[in-house]
Amino acid sequence: MSAAETLTKPESPPAAAPQPVSATGPGPLARLLNSPRGLLLTVTFLFVVVSAVVTGSGGWPGGLTYDVRAPLEDLNNWLIDNRTTHWIFLYFLLHISNAAETSVYSLVELFESLSWIGVTVMGTLIAWYAGGAGLRKRALRTAGTALGVFAACGMLGVWDRTMETLALMTVAVAAAGALGLLLGLAAGLSDICDRMLRPVFDTMQVMPAFAYLLPFVLLFDIGVPSALIATVIYAAPPMARLTSLGLRGADPAALEASASLGASPLQRLWTARLPLARKEMMLGLNQTIMMCLSMVVLASVVGAGGLGNEIYTALGQVDVGLALAAGIAIVLLAVLLDRTTAAAGEQLAETTEHSGGSGWAARLRGWPSWLGLAAVGGVLAAVGSRLAEREWPSAWIVNIADPVNSSIAWFEEHLGEGIPVVGGTLVWAENFTVWVLNPLRSGLNATPWWALLLLVAVLAWVAGRWRAALTATAAMAVAGALGLWTKSLDTLSQVLAGLLLTLLLGFLIGIVAARVERVERLLRPVLDTMQTMPQFVYLIPVIALFGVGRTAGIAAAVVFVLPAVVRITAQGIKQVDPAAVEAARSMGATSWQQLRQVQLPLARKALLVAVNQGVVLVLSMVVIAGMVGGGALGIDVIEGLSRGDLALGLPAGIAIVCLGLMLDRITQPGARTPDHR
Amino acid sequence: MNSKLIRTSLIAGTGVLGMIALSACGAADTGAGGDGKGAKKVTIAVPSWVGAQANAAVAAQLLEDELGVRVKQEQMDESVAFNALNSGKADAILEDWGGAPEKVKRYVDDKKTVVKGGGLGVTGHIGWFVPKYYADKNPEVLDYKNLNDFKDDFKTSESGGKGQFIGAAPSYTSYDKYLIKNHKLDYKILPTGSEAAQLKEIQRLYKAEKPFLTYWWDPQWMNSEIDMVEVKLPEYTEGCNEPKEKTECGYDTLMLQKYFNADFAKDGGDAAEFLKNFEWETEDQNEVAKMIKGDGMSPKNAAAKWIKDNEDTWKKWLPKK
């Protein structure tokens, strides 16, 4: 599926000039000490180590913390007391939540009245139409996909839940797409908006949804409204970022031509800039769809129903097979929405090219077909419930839970312990905790807070100058001031370990995939599944293999983050100018030399994007890690939500954002890329 | 060149906002408040554990078949469920373990938007447990005073030299942190983060016959698969866990409670009366739970089977005509 392209960057053709590589330079240590930055880094690092050894204990000074508990508790109580009386609810917020609820429930009711036959027929028809209708290959393929998805969801025995999720997701994708488009227009057309919005987008994505779900429950009430709004917030940024990127990247010559023809700015936007940005916008929509679907399980935590409900309940029974059935349905819905929108996008592109610019209007002229579809829908809705039972016939349900559970049990039993030489996953987990996680955490905790702040400042300064240094240091200081210093360092140690592991594996696999075509083809479906399968589904196997604890959380994070890193790495290396590689080969460079001296340096920008993605995605897993024993900030966020304690969850969420900001500033050298997600 | 465009978008934006503002002129429906003539539709908040599913499935089946009331079952944690009861998004919680005392105080005692619905008939018990194979070999472990002597057996790479105590999911009633501190036990709590994680970890350790010490409770479906023995804690007395920081006693054995939305309790008619009368025994709940978890039946089918076999029990719950 085209999730394959989702996380790879549309921009970033690597810088053309290869860096001079001297074969006989001074040793690495000498080189480090020769440059002023390297010297500064070395001195700071020594200083930090010495101060850690001398003082032996870190900890944020109590006098520098700010108590946010009391004000947040007041806010919490105020919200509860005024929900049904204050004007801000009566005349504004409640309208939003009621509208959200009405739109989702009317879709659910529509699906119910269509019955399963009606939904399948209508869904297939719409997909067929989106693919361009007729007997064209694309139309038939899209229709076939839709038919397959609906049939599979029925056979997995989750038809009802799938319909609930489909309704929620349709509304969520539409809302997130529209919001993203508006924000993207603002960011793409005005530099001030762009500068203002970028940190907002960062926060929207790194802040764990668990942390802001609770305030939303208080603002918008339980169930569909909160789940929908949280989903929209999480999923809108990619659409906005890519729209803005597309608008900014439009070919100046085309714009010039349009301007010289006397088009007004609005006309130019409509006829030249937006159509030229279409490719990026479609990519953005695709990303938005993936991210919406990743929130399905979360939605069930606040009672929004759907497939997430099934997964959550199955977890309580330690029944992976049952959870997997719902998980597969979520992946299939992603495929359905993605394929249909992609086909519609391609279709749109073709019509635009043929009719020369006014394609959007031309598309609307196809109203007889829309009317036809609506008529079919109306008829089906009226008679659907008489055509068949409302639900998928139970005789056609295939039980996958039992075989899945027994095969998973086999793996758990045989991979955990007692494999000769390599040990087994439980042994690895033990060693990883003892030799990597524990030293890292105690090292961070032993370092005095001022030494750590200094280290962060210097690292960020070396990477991106004083502005980055200021942001990174301030972010760490905020985590301390919230009284979450020790927990933040615990989380940081886990994030760093997870990040290193992911990058190591990701770069290795990515390099192999870039160089061996067959490996890449084999990997693609595996990576797709790893990315779209809700993390909750594999929590139980992860615990069985690694035991409850921090390592289990890191393992879950690696599974989730690896695909993005592998893809971006492979893409970056493949994009390296073949001429440069050819030149190196003709000069007698071995395969290893080509890789190390030509391909890797030239793919530097893509590798940095991979690092950044790694940071963002590993941080997004902190809460999931908390659910399998990762503790630290993750457990605070979960506890805050499940106990309804705003003062516990929100600060922990903010601390996670701070860690994200800090790591981002440290890992993104030089001028920041226009779009790095 | 851009300024004109910005102006245009500003005007457009103002227009859109104006429209929204206009449409928002009417006060919104707050979602609270009953219709006064007995509920035709009831929403039950169902936490993810199997026992709660058993309650909800049986209640839902009877409400639909005997009283013709439509029932919606919504998956929610205890604490979130109280918010839903307060706002009227949910009408009833059938099994409350007392895990959200601050919510009870706020909604039941202060705001009176949520009311008590009586006992469920099922007694819940929370405590500290070790597996039977370990207790048989080390009977002294069954007194909390001796726990420090055994800490080396419970040590793991996560517990940093102390013994490991497998903790409860974050939303569950627990004072373990204070018990460990106040009794100077050399143990560290492993934050399991979710019931699923705790269940799986216990399953894994039990299968490998390793020693472990855990927060555990009854009724719970897994108790029929694993054999655990309770560690004796100081006896519970009324008020000994308040304030919770000072807690030194074990957990109360408590009757699980039902809670209703206040309007539903007042105006819910037959449905409300039925749910108030709903009271069964631990064995009943376990029977249904075992059908769901052990035999892989759907909650609906399991409820139907129990209803068929236990007419005497549920006949008493129906409102008097």
Side-chain angles (χ1 to χ4, degrees), chain A residues 80-81 90-91 95 98 105 189 221-222 265 303 309 312-313 316-317 412 426 438 548 550 626-627 629 642-643, chain B residues 2 5 24-26 28-29 53 72 74-75 79-80 87 99 106 111 157-158 170 172 191-192 194 199 201 293:
Chain A
I80 292 169
D81 290 339
L90 286 179
Y91 293 96
H95 278 293
N98 288 352
Y105 283 147
L189 298 177
D221 212 349
I222 209 104
N309 222 327
Y312 211 67
T313 313
Q317 303 177 24
E412 289 172 4
L426 285 168
N438 285 348
V548 167
R550 286 168 293 161
M627 300 193 89
S642 56
R643 286 195 167 275
Chain B
N2 249 344
L5 203 114
C25 266
D29 173 17
Q53 281 174 34
K72 211 167 149 210
E74 296 263 30
Q75 129 83 43
S79 181
V80 178
S87 72
R106 181 139 199 95
K111 284 192 76 188
S157 56
E158 285 283 348
Y172 293 7
T192 45
S194 60
L199 292 183
E201 182 73 352
K293 177 54 207 167

Side-chain angles (χ1 to χ4, degrees), chain A residues 125-161:
Chain A
L125 271 180
I126 291 175
W128 174 71
Y129 188 69
L135 286 174
R136 273 188 279 181
K137 205 173 153 205
R138 188 174 57 224
L140 292 181
R141 205 177 49 217
T142 323
T145 310
L147 188 64
V149 167
F150 284 118
C153 290
M155 284 200 282
L156 287 168
V158 287
W159 181 263
D160 262 18
R161 296 296 192 192

Side-chain angles (χ1 to χ4, degrees), chain B:
Chain B
M1 160 196 131
N2 249 344
S3 66
K4 196 170 169 198
L5 203 114
I6 292 174
R7 202 165 57 227
T8 328
S9 15
L10 271 180
I11 294 170
T14 323
V16 171
L17 276 180
M19 294 281 282
I20 295 176
L22 268 181
S23 73
C25 266
D29 173 17
T30 57
D35 54 7
K37 284 197 296 287
K40 284 276 154 251
K41 203 178 142 220
V42 175
T43 307
I44 300 177
V46 192
S48 57
W49 60 83
V50 187
Q53 281 174 34
N55 303 327
V58 169
Q61 193 77 17
L62 287 169
L63 277 170
E64 288 186 348
D65 292 350
E66 304 293 323
L67 302 173
V69 176
R70 255 188 91 182
V71 179
K72 211 167 149 210
Q73 301 180 42
E74 296 263 30
Q75 129 83 43
M76 266 176 249
D77 267 345
E78 206 170 0
S79 181
V80 178
F82 268 101
N83 283 337
L85 283 190
N86 169 54
S87 72
K89 276 281 161 83
D91 296 310
I93 300 178
L94 296 181
E95 183 179 319
D96 179 78
W97 283 70
E102 61 290 344
K103 299 258 156 165
V104 172
K105 189 181 169 307
R106 181 139 199 95
Y107 295 138
V108 181
D109 302 343
D110 298 351
K111 284 192 76 188
K112 307 201 192 310
T113 48
V114 179
V115 293
K116 283 187 176 154
L120 174 70
V122 177
T123 27
H125 179 68
I126 299 171
W128 289 8
F129 286 80
V130 291
K132 184 157 185 302
Y133 51 74
Y134 183 72
D136 285 347
K137 273 186 227 141
N138 308 283
E140 292 84 32
V141 81
L142 294 178
D143 189 330
Y144 76 98
K145 287 188 198 111
N146 305 329
L147 277 177
N148 276 347
D149 303 339
F150 294 92
K151 70 166 188 185
D152 285 345
D153 285 355
F154 299 118
K155 212 153 60 178
T156 69
S157 56
E158 285 283 348
S159 62
K162 300 178 171 186
Q164 176 167 284
F165 178 88
I166 302 176
S171 65
Y172 293 7
T173 317
S174 87
Y175 313 108
D176 303 330
K177 192 164 72 179
Y178 309 111
L179 284 172
I180 286 175
K181 193 166 156 241
N182 296 341
H183 288 297
K184 298 193 177 56
L185 298 176
D186 202 12
Y187 280 77
K188 191 175 170 194
I189 296 180
L190 174 74
T192 45
S194 60
E195 185 183 327
Q198 192 188 5
L199 292 183
K200 189 68 205 179
E201 182 73 352
I202 288 176
Q203 248 183 7
R204 179 177 78 80
L205 293 168
Y206 192 84
K207 215 169 184 181
E209 295 216 3
K210 295 216 168 109
F212 61 89
L213 171 66
T214 184
Y215 171 97
W216 198 244
W217 64 97
D218 180 74
Q220 154 51 275
W221 62 267
M222 220 161 75
N223 289 344
S224 59
E225 291 178 15
I226 55 178
D227 210 350
M228 294 208 279
V229 193
E230 186 168 2
V231 174
K232 198 170 86 48
L233 287 168
E235 198 152 340
Y236 173 87
T237 50
E238 185 68 37
C240 73
N241 53 1
E242 281 169 31
K244 56 185 183 199
E245 286 79 10
K246 294 259 158 44
T247 305
E248 286 179 14
C249 60
Y251 292 89
D252 186 14
T253 298
L254 73 170
M255 174 68 83
L256 303 184
Q257 293 293 314
K258 294 176 287 187
Y259 284 96
F260 299 138
N261 170 277
D263 290 326
F264 169 74
K266 196 158 72 127
D267 307 323
D270 285 354
E273 202 184 331
F274 170 84
L275 287 177
K276 273 178 213 157
N277 296 341
F278 186 102
E279 193 178 335
W280 61 352
E281 303 203 343
T282 311
E283 293 80 60
D284 293 315
Q285 193 196 57
N286 278 343
E287 196 186 326
V288 181
K290 194 183 165 301
M291 281 190 268
I292 297 174
K293 177 54 207 167
D295 312 338
M297 286 166 84
S298 73
K300 208 175 154 76
N301 292 343
K305 185 160 186 296
W306 183 88
I307 288 169
K308 213 174 117 230
D309 299 343
N310 294 276
E311 201 160 316
D312 297 345
T313 316
W314 60 261
K315 272 277 187 277
K316 287 180 286 188
W317 305 339
L318 296 177
K320 308 274 175 300
K321 282 276 146 47

Side-chain angles (χ1 to χ4, degrees), chain A residues 251-319:
Chain A
D251 183 9
L255 296 181
E256 197 54 49
S258 156
S260 67
L261 288 170
S264 74
L266 199 64
Q267 277 174 323
R268 219 161 13 159
L269 176 69
W270 191 249
T271 58
R273 297 187 84 167
L274 276 179
L276 283 173
R278 192 186 311 105
K279 210 173 146 203
E280 277 82 15
M281 284 160 66
M282 284 314 294
L283 200 64
L285 186 62
N286 161 295
Q287 270 274 40
T288 294
I289 291 173
M290 295 300 151
M291 300 185 79
C292 277
L293 278 153
S294 69
M295 298 284 278
V296 168
V297 180
L298 195 88
S300 75
V301 175
V302 290
L307 288 165
N309 222 327
E310 208 81 344
I311 293 180
Y312 211 67
T313 313
L315 278 186
Q317 303 177 24
V318 198
D319 193 336

